[in-house]
Amino acid sequence: MWLDLSTNAYDDALNWGKQSYVNFLTIRAQLMLSLAEANVSYVLFETDAIWFRDPIGYWRNATLIDDADIVVPIKGYPDQSLTLSFNPMIVLPTDTTRLFMRHFTQTLLADASLFDQDVMDPLCKRMYMGVRCRTFPWEDISDGLWFKLSESERKTFRPYVVNNNYYVGVDNKITRQALNGLWFLDLKGNCDGQRVRNTLAKHQR
């Protein structure tokens, strides 16, 4: 699917909280709706995350999705009343999902100040139009709280994915990953494959 934005407003880096960032979330919501309307099952994910294990088999687990319309992570840090996160999200194109996505997208289009999570969270919690939003265990899909844990605490579980969130700015995220031994590009932009393999082995023990 090719998305023609007919604008160069998104060529540069998007800064969290700026209007261009919020606008792009609404464009993403429209794409999510289009996929659901086309009867496509999909996993939405963002790139500021570390994948320690291949999660594809886990996402296909029937016990996880057998009665779900949407599956989302939970926040390690509750954000006021918001407890659900966005990345990664499994979306199954049921009739209920399509009704949910239409209202979700229309709400964002009607108010340019709204963040997508601000709309999704309460809709899921009140089961809008009967939507069934299931959640990943935090130990399987973790968020920025993971970076605050001690090494001994990290060894008590093995997440598939850790989101590098609760940090603003690409450079800050890179620094955080580097300080935790999870950045593998050198100054020339080359990937240190051996370090990647060593780190994966460490986190799979």
Side-chain angles (χ1 to χ4, degrees):
M1 180 178 289
W2 177 260
L3 183 64
D4 183 3
L5 298 180
S6 301
T7 176
N8 60 1
Y10 304 106
D11 290 348
D12 297 324
L14 298 177
N15 295 312
W16 187 90
K18 299 294 185 182
Q19 190 59 54
S20 59
Y21 177 91
V22 179
N23 293 346
F24 194 79
L25 298 181
T26 301
I27 291 172
R28 180 172 71 172
Q30 293 174 277
L31 178 58
M32 293 167 66
L33 171 60
S34 295
L35 291 171
E37 297 278 17
N39 204 37
V40 175
S41 301
Y42 60 91
V43 178
L44 179 150
F45 67 92
E46 299 171 357
T47 56
D48 56 341
I50 302 102
W51 290 28
F52 288 120
R53 293 187 282 157
D54 183 352
I56 301 302
Y58 172 65
W59 288 339
R60 288 176 173 161
N61 186 333
T63 60
L64 182 70
I65 64 174
D66 59 356
D67 68 341
D69 298 300
I70 297 169
V71 188
V72 295
I74 55 177
K75 292 178 178 285
Y77 292 114
D79 179 10
Q80 299 178 5
S81 63
L82 303 180
T83 58
L84 303 179
S85 191
F86 221 83
N87 168 45
M89 176 192 299
I90 297 175
V91 179
L92 303 170
T94 64
D95 290 340
T96 304
T97 296
R98 284 186 277 273
L99 290 171
F100 176 92
M101 287 295 177
R102 287 171 198 151
H103 182 72
F104 169 67
T105 304
Q106 289 166 1
T107 302
L108 291 173
L109 288 169
D111 187 342
S113 69
L114 289 174
F115 282 69
D116 49 11
Q117 291 187 42
D118 297 336
V119 177
M120 181 199 70
D121 191 292
L123 290 177
C124 275
K125 286 176 180 171
R126 74 171 194 256
M127 296 184 66
Y128 176 80
M129 299 300 291
V131 71
R132 295 161 298 185
C133 297
R134 302 295 183 243
T135 57
F136 299 108
W138 186 84
E139 292 78 11
D140 290 339
I141 308 293
S142 304
D143 61 6
L145 178 61
W146 183 88
F147 290 97
K148 300 290 187 180
L149 301 179
S150 66
E151 282 294 327
S152 60
E153 289 173 315
R154 292 179 185 179
K155 289 179 180 178
T156 60
F157 62 100
R158 293 173 57 228
Y160 288 89
V161 176
V162 172
N163 289 309
N164 188 0
N165 53 4
Y166 304 124
Y167 237 43
V168 177
V170 173
D171 289 341
N172 290 332
K173 290 174 183 272
I174 290 173
T175 299
R176 179 199 240 177
Q177 286 190 211
L179 291 172
N180 284 270
L182 297 169
W183 187 255
F184 307 105
L185 293 181
D186 62 24
L187 294 177
K188 295 182 179 180
N190 299 314
C191 180
D192 187 335
Q194 188 57 53
R195 283 189 60 208
V196 173
R197 289 186 286 273
N198 291 344
T199 301
L200 286 173
K202 171 187 172 182
H203 287 278
Q204 290 174 4
R205 284 198 292 266

CSV table of all heavy atoms in Angstrom, one decimal, residues 125-179:
chain,number,residue,atom,x,y,z
A,125,LYS,N,-11.3,0.6,27.2
A,125,LYS,CA,-11.8,0.3,28.6
A,125,LYS,C,-13.3,0.2,28.7
A,125,LYS,O,-13.8,-0.6,29.5
A,125,LYS,CB,-11.2,1.3,29.5
A,125,LYS,CG,-9.7,1.1,29.8
A,125,LYS,CD,-9.1,2.2,30.7
A,125,LYS,CE,-7.6,2.0,30.9
A,125,LYS,NZ,-7.0,3.1,31.6
A,126,ARG,N,-14.0,1.0,27.9
A,126,ARG,CA,-15.4,0.9,28.0
A,126,ARG,C,-16.0,0.0,26.9
A,126,ARG,O,-17.2,-0.1,26.8
A,126,ARG,CB,-16.1,2.3,27.9
A,126,ARG,CG,-16.1,3.0,26.6
A,126,ARG,CD,-16.9,4.3,26.7
A,126,ARG,NE,-17.3,4.9,25.5
A,126,ARG,CZ,-16.8,5.9,24.9
A,126,ARG,NH1,-15.8,6.5,25.6
A,126,ARG,NH2,-17.2,6.4,23.8
A,127,MET,N,-15.1,-0.7,26.2
A,127,MET,CA,-15.5,-1.7,25.2
A,127,MET,C,-16.5,-1.1,24.2
A,127,MET,O,-17.6,-1.6,24.0
A,127,MET,CB,-16.1,-2.9,25.9
A,127,MET,CG,-15.2,-3.7,26.8
A,127,MET,SD,-15.9,-5.2,27.5
A,127,MET,CE,-16.1,-6.2,26.0
A,128,TYR,N,-16.0,0.0,23.6
A,128,TYR,CA,-16.8,0.7,22.6
A,128,TYR,C,-17.3,-0.2,21.5
A,128,TYR,O,-16.5,-0.9,20.9
A,128,TYR,CB,-16.0,1.9,22.0
A,128,TYR,CG,-16.8,2.6,20.9
A,128,TYR,CD1,-17.7,3.6,21.2
A,128,TYR,CD2,-16.5,2.3,19.6
A,128,TYR,CE1,-18.4,4.3,20.2
A,128,TYR,CE2,-17.2,3.0,18.6
A,128,TYR,CZ,-18.1,4.0,18.9
A,128,TYR,OH,-18.8,4.6,17.9
A,129,MET,N,-18.6,-0.2,21.3
A,129,MET,CA,-19.2,-1.1,20.3
A,129,MET,C,-18.9,-2.6,20.5
A,129,MET,O,-18.9,-3.4,19.6
A,129,MET,CB,-18.9,-0.7,18.9
A,129,MET,CG,-19.3,0.8,18.5
A,129,MET,SD,-21.1,1.0,18.6
A,129,MET,CE,-21.6,0.0,17.3
A,130,GLY,N,-18.6,-2.9,21.8
A,130,GLY,CA,-18.3,-4.3,22.1
A,130,GLY,C,-16.8,-4.7,21.8
A,130,GLY,O,-16.5,-5.9,21.8
A,131,VAL,N,-16.0,-3.8,21.5
A,131,VAL,CA,-14.6,-4.1,21.1
A,131,VAL,C,-13.9,-4.8,22.3
A,131,VAL,O,-14.0,-4.5,23.4
A,131,VAL,CB,-13.8,-2.9,20.7
A,131,VAL,CG1,-13.5,-2.0,21.9
A,131,VAL,CG2,-12.5,-3.3,20.0
A,132,ARG,N,-13.1,-5.9,21.9
A,132,ARG,CA,-12.4,-6.6,22.9
A,132,ARG,C,-10.9,-6.3,22.8
A,132,ARG,O,-10.2,-6.8,21.9
A,132,ARG,CB,-12.6,-8.1,22.7
A,132,ARG,CG,-14.1,-8.5,23.0
A,132,ARG,CD,-14.4,-9.9,22.4
A,132,ARG,NE,-14.3,-9.8,20.9
A,132,ARG,CZ,-14.6,-10.9,20.1
A,132,ARG,NH1,-15.0,-12.0,20.7
A,132,ARG,NH2,-14.4,-10.8,18.8
A,133,CYS,N,-10.4,-5.4,23.6
A,133,CYS,CA,-9.0,-5.1,23.7
A,133,CYS,C,-8.3,-5.9,24.7
A,133,CYS,O,-8.5,-5.7,25.9
A,133,CYS,CB,-8.8,-3.6,24.0
A,133,CYS,SG,-9.6,-2.5,22.8
A,134,ARG,N,-7.5,-6.9,24.3
A,134,ARG,CA,-6.8,-7.7,25.2
A,134,ARG,C,-5.4,-7.1,25.3
A,134,ARG,O,-4.9,-6.3,24.5
A,134,ARG,CB,-6.7,-9.1,24.7
A,134,ARG,CG,-8.0,-9.8,24.5
A,134,ARG,CD,-8.7,-10.0,25.8
A,134,ARG,NE,-10.0,-10.7,25.6
A,134,ARG,CZ,-11.2,-10.2,25.9
A,134,ARG,NH1,-11.3,-8.9,26.3
A,134,ARG,NH2,-12.3,-10.9,25.7
A,135,THR,N,-4.6,-7.5,26.4
A,135,THR,CA,-3.3,-6.9,26.6
A,135,THR,C,-2.2,-8.0,26.7
A,135,THR,O,-2.5,-9.1,27.1
A,135,THR,CB,-3.4,-6.2,28.0
A,135,THR,OG1,-3.8,-7.0,29.0
A,135,THR,CG2,-4.3,-5.0,27.9
A,136,PHE,N,-1.0,-7.6,26.3
A,136,PHE,CA,0.1,-8.4,26.5
A,136,PHE,C,0.6,-8.3,27.9
A,136,PHE,O,0.5,-7.2,28.5
A,136,PHE,CB,1.3,-7.9,25.6
A,136,PHE,CG,1.1,-7.9,24.1
A,136,PHE,CD1,0.9,-6.8,23.5
A,136,PHE,CD2,1.1,-9.1,23.4
A,136,PHE,CE1,0.7,-6.7,22.1
A,136,PHE,CE2,0.9,-9.1,22.1
A,136,PHE,CZ,0.7,-7.9,21.4
A,137,PRO,N,1.1,-9.4,28.6
A,137,PRO,CA,1.7,-9.2,29.9
A,137,PRO,C,2.9,-8.3,29.8
A,137,PRO,O,3.7,-8.3,28.8
A,137,PRO,CB,2.1,-10.7,30.2
A,137,PRO,CG,1.3,-11.5,29.4
A,137,PRO,CD,1.0,-10.8,28.1
A,138,TRP,N,3.1,-7.4,30.8
A,138,TRP,CA,4.2,-6.5,30.7
A,138,TRP,C,5.5,-7.2,30.6
A,138,TRP,O,6.5,-6.7,30.0
A,138,TRP,CB,4.1,-5.6,31.9
A,138,TRP,CG,5.1,-4.4,31.9
A,138,TRP,CD1,5.0,-3.2,31.3
A,138,TRP,CD2,6.5,-4.5,32.4
A,138,TRP,NE1,6.2,-2.5,31.4
A,138,TRP,CE2,7.1,-3.2,32.1
A,138,TRP,CE3,7.2,-5.4,33.2
A,138,TRP,CZ2,8.4,-2.9,32.5
A,138,TRP,CZ3,8.5,-5.1,33.5
A,138,TRP,CH2,9.1,-3.8,33.2
A,139,GLU,N,5.6,-8.4,31.2
A,139,GLU,CA,6.9,-9.1,31.2
A,139,GLU,C,7.2,-9.6,29.8
A,139,GLU,O,8.4,-9.9,29.5
A,139,GLU,CB,6.8,-10.3,32.2
A,139,GLU,CG,6.8,-9.9,33.6
A,139,GLU,CD,5.4,-9.4,34.1
A,139,GLU,OE1,4.4,-9.6,33.3
A,139,GLU,OE2,5.3,-8.9,35.2
A,140,ASP,N,6.2,-9.6,28.9
A,140,ASP,CA,6.5,-10.1,27.5
A,140,ASP,C,6.8,-8.9,26.6
A,140,ASP,O,7.7,-9.0,25.7
A,140,ASP,CB,5.3,-10.9,27.0
A,140,ASP,CG,5.2,-12.2,27.6
A,140,ASP,OD1,6.1,-12.7,28.2
A,140,ASP,OD2,4.0,-12.8,27.6
A,141,ILE,N,6.0,-7.8,26.7
A,141,ILE,CA,6.2,-6.6,26.0
A,141,ILE,C,6.4,-5.5,27.0
A,141,ILE,O,5.4,-5.0,27.5
A,141,ILE,CB,5.0,-6.3,25.0
A,141,ILE,CG1,4.6,-7.6,24.2
A,141,ILE,CG2,5.3,-5.1,24.2
A,141,ILE,CD1,5.7,-7.9,23.1
A,142,SER,N,7.6,-5.1,27.2
A,142,SER,CA,7.9,-4.1,28.2
A,142,SER,C,8.1,-2.7,27.7
A,142,SER,O,8.2,-2.6,26.4
A,142,SER,CB,9.2,-4.6,29.0
A,142,SER,OG,9.1,-5.9,29.5
A,143,ASP,N,8.2,-1.8,28.5
A,143,ASP,CA,8.3,-0.4,28.1
A,143,ASP,C,9.6,0.2,28.8
A,143,ASP,O,10.4,-0.5,29.3
A,143,ASP,CB,7.1,0.4,28.3
A,143,ASP,CG,6.7,0.5,29.8
A,143,ASP,OD1,7.4,0.0,30.6
A,143,ASP,OD2,5.6,1.1,30.0
A,144,GLY,N,9.6,1.6,28.8
A,144,GLY,CA,10.8,2.3,29.3
A,144,GLY,C,11.1,2.0,30.7
A,144,GLY,O,12.3,2.2,31.2
A,145,LEU,N,10.2,1.5,31.5
A,145,LEU,CA,10.4,1.1,32.9
A,145,LEU,C,11.5,0.1,33.0
A,145,LEU,O,12.3,0.0,34.0
A,145,LEU,CB,9.1,0.6,33.5
A,145,LEU,CG,9.3,0.1,35.0
A,145,LEU,CD1,9.7,1.3,35.9
A,145,LEU,CD2,7.9,-0.4,35.5
A,146,TRP,N,11.6,-0.8,32.0
A,146,TRP,CA,12.6,-1.8,31.9
A,146,TRP,C,14.0,-1.3,32.1
A,146,TRP,O,14.9,-1.9,32.8
A,146,TRP,CB,12.6,-2.6,30.6
A,146,TRP,CG,13.5,-3.8,30.5
A,146,TRP,CD1,13.3,-5.1,30.9
A,146,TRP,CD2,14.8,-3.7,29.9
A,146,TRP,NE1,14.4,-5.8,30.6
A,146,TRP,CE2,15.3,-5.1,30.0
A,146,TRP,CE3,15.6,-2.7,29.3
A,146,TRP,CZ2,16.6,-5.4,29.5
A,146,TRP,CZ3,16.8,-3.1,28.9
A,146,TRP,CH2,17.3,-4.4,28.9
A,147,PHE,N,14.3,-0.1,31.6
A,147,PHE,CA,15.6,0.5,31.7
A,147,PHE,C,16.0,0.9,33.1
A,147,PHE,O,17.1,1.2,33.4
A,147,PHE,CB,15.7,1.7,30.7
A,147,PHE,CG,15.8,1.3,29.3
A,147,PHE,CD1,14.6,1.3,28.5
A,147,PHE,CD2,16.9,0.9,28.6
A,147,PHE,CE1,14.6,1.0,27.2
A,147,PHE,CE2,17.0,0.6,27.3
A,147,PHE,CZ,15.8,0.6,26.6
A,148,LYS,N,15.0,1.1,33.9
A,148,LYS,CA,15.2,1.5,35.3
A,148,LYS,C,15.5,0.3,36.2
A,148,LYS,O,15.8,0.5,37.4
A,148,LYS,CB,13.9,2.2,35.8
A,148,LYS,CG,13.6,3.5,35.0
A,148,LYS,CD,14.6,4.6,35.3
A,148,LYS,CE,14.1,5.9,34.6
A,148,LYS,NZ,15.1,7.0,34.8
A,149,LEU,N,15.3,-0.9,35.7
A,149,LEU,CA,15.4,-2.1,36.5
A,149,LEU,C,16.9,-2.4,36.7
A,149,LEU,O,17.7,-2.1,35.8
A,149,LEU,CB,14.7,-3.3,35.9
A,149,LEU,CG,13.2,-3.2,35.7
A,149,LEU,CD1,12.7,-4.5,35.0
A,149,LEU,CD2,12.5,-2.9,37.0
A,150,SER,N,17.2,-3.1,37.8
A,150,SER,CA,18.6,-3.5,38.0
A,150,SER,C,18.8,-4.8,37.2
A,150,SER,O,17.9,-5.4,36.7
A,150,SER,CB,18.8,-3.9,39.5
A,150,SER,OG,18.0,-5.0,39.9
A,151,GLU,N,20.1,-5.2,37.0
A,151,GLU,CA,20.4,-6.4,36.3
A,151,GLU,C,19.8,-7.6,36.9
A,151,GLU,O,19.3,-8.5,36.1
A,151,GLU,CB,21.9,-6.6,36.2
A,151,GLU,CG,22.7,-5.7,35.2
A,151,GLU,CD,22.3,-6.0,33.8
A,151,GLU,OE1,22.0,-7.2,33.4
A,151,GLU,OE2,22.2,-5.0,32.9
A,152,SER,N,19.7,-7.7,38.2
A,152,SER,CA,19.1,-8.8,38.8
A,152,SER,C,17.6,-8.9,38.6
A,152,SER,O,17.0,-9.9,38.4
A,152,SER,CB,19.4,-8.8,40.3
A,152,SER,OG,18.9,-7.6,40.9
A,153,GLU,N,17.0,-7.7,38.5
A,153,GLU,CA,15.5,-7.7,38.3
A,153,GLU,C,15.3,-8.0,36.8
A,153,GLU,O,14.3,-8.7,36.5
A,153,GLU,CB,15.0,-6.3,38.5
A,153,GLU,CG,14.9,-5.9,40.0
A,153,GLU,CD,14.5,-4.5,40.2
A,153,GLU,OE1,15.1,-3.6,39.6
A,153,GLU,OE2,13.7,-4.2,41.1
A,154,ARG,N,16.1,-7.6,35.9
A,154,ARG,CA,15.9,-7.9,34.5
A,154,ARG,C,16.1,-9.4,34.2
A,154,ARG,O,15.4,-10.0,33.3
A,154,ARG,CB,17.0,-7.2,33.6
A,154,ARG,CG,16.8,-5.7,33.6
A,154,ARG,CD,17.9,-5.0,32.7
A,154,ARG,NE,17.8,-3.6,32.8
A,154,ARG,CZ,18.6,-2.7,32.2
A,154,ARG,NH1,19.6,-3.3,31.4
A,154,ARG,NH2,18.4,-1.4,32.3
A,155,LYS,N,16.8,-10.1,35.0
A,155,LYS,CA,17.0,-11.6,34.8
A,155,LYS,C,15.9,-12.4,35.2
A,155,LYS,O,15.8,-13.6,35.0
A,155,LYS,CB,18.3,-12.0,35.6
A,155,LYS,CG,19.6,-11.5,35.0
A,155,LYS,CD,20.8,-12.0,35.8
A,155,LYS,CE,22.1,-11.4,35.2
A,155,LYS,NZ,23.3,-11.9,36.0
A,156,THR,N,14.9,-11.8,35.9
A,156,THR,CA,13.7,-12.6,36.4
A,156,THR,C,12.7,-12.8,35.3
A,156,THR,O,11.7,-13.6,35.5
A,156,THR,CB,13.0,-11.9,37.6
A,156,THR,OG1,12.6,-10.6,37.1
A,156,THR,CG2,14.0,-11.7,38.7
A,157,PHE,N,12.8,-12.2,34.1
A,157,PHE,CA,11.9,-12.4,33.0
A,157,PHE,C,12.6,-12.1,31.7
A,157,PHE,O,13.7,-11.5,31.7
A,157,PHE,CB,10.6,-11.6,33.1
A,157,PHE,CG,10.8,-10.1,33.1
A,157,PHE,CD1,10.6,-9.4,32.0
A,157,PHE,CD2,11.3,-9.4,34.2
A,157,PHE,CE1,10.8,-8.0,31.9
A,157,PHE,CE2,11.5,-8.0,34.2
A,157,PHE,CZ,11.2,-7.3,33.1
A,158,ARG,N,12.0,-12.6,30.6
A,158,ARG,CA,12.7,-12.5,29.3
A,158,ARG,C,11.7,-11.9,28.3
A,158,ARG,O,10.9,-12.6,27.6
A,158,ARG,CB,13.1,-13.8,28.8
A,158,ARG,CG,14.2,-14.5,29.6
A,158,ARG,CD,14.5,-15.9,29.1
A,158,ARG,NE,14.9,-15.9,27.7
A,158,ARG,CZ,14.3,-16.8,26.9
A,158,ARG,NH1,13.4,-17.6,27.3
A,158,ARG,NH2,14.7,-16.8,25.6
A,159,PRO,N,11.6,-10.6,28.2
A,159,PRO,CA,10.7,-9.9,27.2
A,159,PRO,C,11.0,-10.2,25.8
A,159,PRO,O,12.2,-10.4,25.4
A,159,PRO,CB,10.8,-8.4,27.6
A,159,PRO,CG,12.2,-8.3,28.1
A,159,PRO,CD,12.5,-9.6,28.9
A,160,TYR,N,10.0,-10.3,25.0
A,160,TYR,CA,10.2,-10.3,23.5
A,160,TYR,C,10.7,-8.9,23.0
A,160,TYR,O,11.6,-8.8,22.2
A,160,TYR,CB,9.0,-10.7,22.8
A,160,TYR,CG,8.6,-12.2,23.0
A,160,TYR,CD1,7.8,-12.5,24.0
A,160,TYR,CD2,9.0,-13.1,22.1
A,160,TYR,CE1,7.4,-13.9,24.2
A,160,TYR,CE2,8.6,-14.5,22.2
A,160,TYR,CZ,7.8,-14.8,23.3
A,160,TYR,OH,7.4,-16.1,23.4
A,161,VAL,N,10.0,-7.9,23.5
A,161,VAL,CA,10.2,-6.6,23.0
A,161,VAL,C,10.3,-5.6,24.2
A,161,VAL,O,9.5,-5.7,25.1
A,161,VAL,CB,9.1,-6.1,22.0
A,161,VAL,CG1,9.3,-4.7,21.6
A,161,VAL,CG2,9.0,-7.0,20.8
A,162,VAL,N,11.2,-4.7,24.1
A,162,VAL,CA,11.3,-3.6,25.1
A,162,VAL,C,11.2,-2.3,24.3
A,162,VAL,O,12.0,-2.0,23.4
A,162,VAL,CB,12.6,-3.6,25.9
A,162,VAL,CG1,12.7,-2.3,26.8
A,162,VAL,CG2,12.7,-4.8,26.8
A,163,ASN,N,10.2,-1.5,24.6
A,163,ASN,CA,10.0,-0.2,24.0
A,163,ASN,C,10.9,0.9,24.6
A,163,ASN,O,10.9,1.0,25.9
A,163,ASN,CB,8.6,0.3,24.0
A,163,ASN,CG,7.7,-0.6,23.2
A,163,ASN,OD1,8.0,-0.8,22.0
A,163,ASN,ND2,6.6,-1.1,23.7
A,164,ASN,N,11.6,1.6,23.8
A,164,ASN,CA,12.5,2.7,24.3
A,164,ASN,C,11.7,4.0,24.4
A,164,ASN,O,12.0,4.9,23.7
A,164,ASN,CB,13.7,2.8,23.4
A,164,ASN,CG,14.8,3.8,24.0
A,164,ASN,OD1,14.6,4.3,25.1
A,164,ASN,ND2,15.9,3.9,23.3
A,165,ASN,N,10.7,4.0,25.3
A,165,ASN,CA,9.8,5.2,25.4
A,165,ASN,C,10.0,5.8,26.8
A,165,ASN,O,10.9,5.5,27.5
A,165,ASN,CB,8.4,4.8,25.2
A,165,ASN,CG,7.9,3.7,26.1
A,165,ASN,OD1,8.6,3.1,26.9
A,165,ASN,ND2,6.7,3.2,25.9
A,166,TYR,N,9.2,6.8,27.0
A,166,TYR,CA,9.4,7.7,28.2
A,166,TYR,C,10.7,8.5,28.1
A,166,TYR,O,11.2,9.0,29.1
A,166,TYR,CB,9.4,7.0,29.5
A,166,TYR,CG,8.1,6.2,29.7
A,166,TYR,CD1,8.3,4.8,30.0
A,166,TYR,CD2,6.9,6.7,29.7
A,166,TYR,CE1,7.1,4.0,30.2
A,166,TYR,CE2,5.7,5.9,29.9
A,166,TYR,CZ,5.9,4.6,30.1
A,166,TYR,OH,4.8,3.8,30.3
A,167,TYR,N,11.2,8.7,26.9
A,167,TYR,CA,12.4,9.5,26.6
A,167,TYR,C,12.1,10.2,25.3
A,167,TYR,O,11.6,9.6,24.3
A,167,TYR,CB,13.6,8.5,26.4
A,167,TYR,CG,14.7,8.8,27.3
A,167,TYR,CD1,14.5,9.1,28.7
A,167,TYR,CD2,16.0,8.8,26.9
A,167,TYR,CE1,15.6,9.3,29.5
A,167,TYR,CE2,17.1,9.0,27.7
A,167,TYR,CZ,16.9,9.3,29.0
A,167,TYR,OH,17.9,9.5,29.9
A,168,VAL,N,12.4,11.5,25.2
A,168,VAL,CA,12.1,12.3,24.0
A,168,VAL,C,13.4,12.6,23.3
A,168,VAL,O,14.4,13.0,23.8
A,168,VAL,CB,11.4,13.6,24.4
A,168,VAL,CG1,11.1,14.4,23.2
A,168,VAL,CG2,10.1,13.3,25.1
A,169,GLY,N,13.3,12.4,22.0
A,169,GLY,CA,14.5,12.7,21.1
A,169,GLY,C,15.3,11.5,20.7
A,169,GLY,O,15.6,10.7,21.5
A,170,VAL,N,15.6,11.4,19.4
A,170,VAL,CA,16.3,10.3,18.9
A,170,VAL,C,17.7,10.1,19.5
A,170,VAL,O,18.1,9.1,19.9
A,170,VAL,CB,16.5,10.4,17.3
A,170,VAL,CG1,17.4,9.3,16.8
A,170,VAL,CG2,15.1,10.3,16.7
A,171,ASP,N,18.4,11.3,19.7
A,171,ASP,CA,19.8,11.2,20.3
A,171,ASP,C,19.7,10.7,21.7
A,171,ASP,O,20.6,9.9,22.2
A,171,ASP,CB,20.4,12.6,20.2
A,171,ASP,CG,20.8,13.0,18.8
A,171,ASP,OD1,20.9,12.1,18.0
A,171,ASP,OD2,21.0,14.2,18.6
A,172,ASN,N,18.7,11.1,22.5
A,172,ASN,CA,18.5,10.7,23.9
A,172,ASN,C,18.2,9.2,23.9
A,172,ASN,O,18.7,8.4,24.8
A,172,ASN,CB,17.4,11.4,24.6
A,172,ASN,CG,17.8,12.9,24.8
A,172,ASN,OD1,19.0,13.2,25.0
A,172,ASN,ND2,16.8,13.7,24.9
A,173,LYS,N,17.4,8.7,23.0
A,173,LYS,CA,17.1,7.3,22.9
A,173,LYS,C,18.3,6.4,22.6
A,173,LYS,O,18.6,5.4,23.1
A,173,LYS,CB,16.0,7.0,21.9
A,173,LYS,CG,14.6,7.5,22.4
A,173,LYS,CD,13.6,7.4,21.3
A,173,LYS,CE,12.2,8.0,21.7
A,173,LYS,NZ,11.4,7.0,22.4
A,174,ILE,N,19.1,6.9,21.6
A,174,ILE,CA,20.4,6.3,21.2
A,174,ILE,C,21.3,6.2,22.4
A,174,ILE,O,21.9,5.1,22.7
A,174,ILE,CB,21.0,7.0,20.1
A,174,ILE,CG1,20.2,6.8,18.8
A,174,ILE,CG2,22.5,6.5,19.9
A,174,ILE,CD1,20.7,7.6,17.6
A,175,THR,N,21.4,7.3,23.1
A,175,THR,CA,22.3,7.3,24.3
A,175,THR,C,21.9,6.3,25.4
A,175,THR,O,22.7,5.6,26.0
A,175,THR,CB,22.4,8.7,24.9
A,175,THR,OG1,22.9,9.6,23.9
A,175,THR,CG2,23.3,8.7,26.2
A,176,ARG,N,20.6,6.3,25.6
A,176,ARG,CA,20.0,5.3,26.6
A,176,ARG,C,20.3,3.9,26.2
A,176,ARG,O,20.8,3.1,27.0
A,176,ARG,CB,18.5,5.5,26.7
A,176,ARG,CG,17.9,4.6,27.7
A,176,ARG,CD,16.4,4.5,27.5
A,176,ARG,NE,15.6,5.0,28.6
A,176,ARG,CZ,14.3,5.1,28.6
A,176,ARG,NH1,13.6,4.8,27.5
A,176,ARG,NH2,13.6,5.4,29.7
A,177,GLN,N,20.1,3.6,24.9
A,177,GLN,CA,20.4,2.2,24.5
A,177,GLN,C,21.9,1.9,24.6
A,177,GLN,O,22.3,0.8,25.0
A,177,GLN,CB,19.9,2.0,23.1
A,177,GLN,CG,18.4,1.8,23.0
A,177,GLN,CD,17.9,1.4,21.6
A,177,GLN,OE1,16.9,1.7,21.2
A,177,GLN,NE2,18.7,0.6,20.9
A,178,ALA,N,22.8,2.9,24.2
A,178,ALA,CA,24.2,2.7,24.3
A,178,ALA,C,24.7,2.4,25.7
A,178,ALA,O,25.5,1.5,26.0
A,178,ALA,CB,24.9,3.9,23.7
A,179,LEU,N,24.1,3.2,26.7
A,179,LEU,CA,24.5,3.0,28.1
A,179,LEU,C,24.1,1.6,28.6
A,179,LEU,O,24.6,1.1,29.6
A,179,LEU,CB,23.9,4.1,28.9
A,179,LEU,CG,24.4,5.5,28.7
A,179,LEU,CD1,23.6,6.5,29.5
A,179,LEU,CD2,25.9,5.6,29.2
